[in-house]
Amino acid sequence: MKITDDFTNYSLMGSYDTIVIGAGHAGCEAGLISARMGMKTLLLCMNLEAVAMMPCNPSIGGTGKGHLVCEIDALGGEMGVNIDKTFIQSKMLNTSKGPAVHSLRAQADKNKYHLEMKKTIEREPNLYLKQAEVTDIVFDGNKAAGVVTRTMAWYQSKTVIIATGTFLGGKIFIGDSAYSGGPSGLASSDILSRNLYEEGFDLRRFKTGTPARMLRNSLDFTKMKVQKGDSTIVPFSFMNEGKDIGPNKVDCWLSYTNEDTHKIILDNIHKSAMYSGNITGVGPRYCPSIEDKVSRFRDRKRHQLFVEPEGLDTDEMYIQGMSTSLPEDIQEEFYHTIAGLEKGEISRPAYAIEYDCVNPLSLKPSLESKKFSNLFCAGQFNGSSGYEEAAAQGLMAGINSVRKIKNLTPLVLRRDQAYIGVLIDDLVTKGTDEPYRILTSRAEYRLLLRQDNADKRLTPIGYEYGSVSQERYDRFLRKQERISAELKRLKHKKVEMSVLRGFLESIGAPESKENQTFYDLLKRPEVRYDYLESIDSDRPELTRNEITEIEVEIKYSGYISKQQSSVKKMRQLENKSIPADINYDDIRGLRLEAVEKLKSIEPDTVGRASRISGVNPADINVLLVYLEKMNRLNRRQNHDQSEEN
């Protein structure tokens, strides 16, 4: 809709700095950070019961995702704080592996998570939460200038953030049944979807799904394996570091499919909406439906599934790993073949949902649209999957929306700075042909990007860019002072040989032939910081997170150094900017495919150009030679001009 159109029938309801469309995990972070950075912000949601809703798994974190939550928190976001208030079971994953892949995961009380986030939003100064269905975006030329709603209300703004999740053009599939709808029985946003198509947005159809819910009292837990949480709870938020945030309140359970389950699924797979051809959208490779798993891995005798409580005030249990679009009667039949689920009563059937999202290659690294100025995009609308990926993008879109209003440079995190940097760079540089999920394997520098040091990496950046409060920053500085002081003490304090000999013998470690400092001792893989308590009377009181950071820095110092050297080399390319007015057609030696990709994606640095699919190392070398040639030419022209003057 154009600002020049006739607004006679519309009521102007107010003017804001930023308007956020959608109050899912992306919208909540975008709205909160915008308001906290001083902007008058309007957060619009089709149904206020959908604020921070968890239509799929009621959990936060997990492999790779836990890193994102800690980074969101370190930058001043809310997700970590909210899950610390509302978790019912917490567990650190991958503890048998190296610290780079340790990932925190917490089962949430689904309804409480929604209520606590809604309460936080309602009490935030500068943030206005309203129930309304946005049907169109108002443009002043190519600039976003506000929105209109289904009730003919008109809201003006300086920037707009689209965070529509899976509601945009949503369509539900259960067997042959297909109907317009959003997640969890809510309505879809169809008018906005049509209008975005008409405005020229590069949209595509993606698909995701969710398993059935079953009632607790209909399940037999004696036939399943209990999955308990950790005895020591590690909070997500650095603001809760060193605090007791409460115990685990529930157990989760593990069971398996079997050959009977697989037979029923394969016999009826033609009835699945995904296999019948009804679904045209592309689904997530890393979270396939059960029919997809059974069909693709026919040699597997069983697949695991987890039975997880949805909250303390409901008997509904989430059957993780069993999403499907098979008809309800087939769902009943195959779920009942599983140990512990034989008499399970389904309260909500599984379904698949297809929805519209934007091609992320049409976005800048700041998450602003390349085609429409002042319009930012975040979350599943950008082609990602998962609450954590959505929240991370919402936070960054919110920060950069504020930076745009203030005419300041955007915050763009590098791949060596954050998983958020990896996530956004992958989306806007490489694009995605399926719902994108963060994985630790996607990060080249994952030893540098650990959960424990997310605040060290990002809190100073957040403070500089205005998203981190003074309270959080002061707390961070005090923590870093304690860590720095303890590392210095460990490097200088030596262990007497008689004490050292007895200590190493007590833990079954090889003896030492020379004196060692406590720092040297901690380099040994078998020595933990806690073990030193018996021989170190001067150790200060530190939080568990501080101890982890100290241990990792000492034990992995050699590996960390190597990664930092790699980062230094790569940064030369990252810092090599590409002029906005470059004409790739003029560069001799560039392959046609590379020219097309570079023109389409418009990378701002050589580093970003090097990660574009279809641009190979030879193309990058040609580009570097051309840029150097142009720099020399510009320097010569400037020199000649200065001599003339």
Side-chain angles (χ1 to χ4, degrees), residues 221-353:
F221 295 104
T222 64
K223 295 182 178 180
M224 306 182 210
K225 186 178 178 182
V226 68
Q227 303 288 294
K228 292 192 171 292
D230 292 339
S231 53
T232 302
I233 305 298
V234 178
F236 272 104
S237 176
F238 291 101
M239 297 299 282
N240 289 325
E241 213 177 312
K243 294 180 184 178
D244 179 4
I245 60 170
N248 289 307
K249 302 171 185 70
V250 298
D251 292 330
C252 296
W253 307 85
L254 173 66
S255 191
Y256 295 91
T257 63
N258 52 59
E259 291 182 353
D260 290 340
T261 318
H262 298 179
K263 185 176 187 310
I264 293 167
I265 290 169
L266 290 173
D267 285 350
N268 293 278
I269 203 162
H270 59 285
K271 298 178 182 177
S272 162
M274 195 174 80
Y275 282 83
S276 67
N278 289 344
I279 292 177
T280 57
V282 182
R285 190 187 344 164
Y286 298 102
C287 190
S289 65
I290 187 61
E291 57 263 41
D292 202 17
K293 284 192 272 193
V294 170
S295 176
R296 284 165 54 195
F297 307 106
R298 298 195 181 218
D299 56 321
R300 294 278 296 275
K301 301 292 183 189
R302 64 179 192 173
H303 295 278
Q304 68 179 19
L305 58 109
F306 292 92
V307 180
E308 301 170 326
E310 293 224 313
L312 300 180
D313 298 318
T314 177
D315 273 352
E316 285 191 291
M317 307 290 283
Y318 179 84
I319 315 300
Q320 186 195 329
M322 295 289 286
S323 68
T324 182
S325 59
L326 280 161
E328 283 190 71
D329 59 334
I330 307 301
Q331 289 186 35
E332 291 261 4
E333 195 177 347
F334 76 70
Y335 276 122
H336 288 167
T337 63
I338 296 165
L341 276 58
E342 294 92 344
K343 297 181 179 178
E345 185 179 333
I346 294 177
S347 55
R348 306 186 201 209
Y351 64 85
I353 181 169

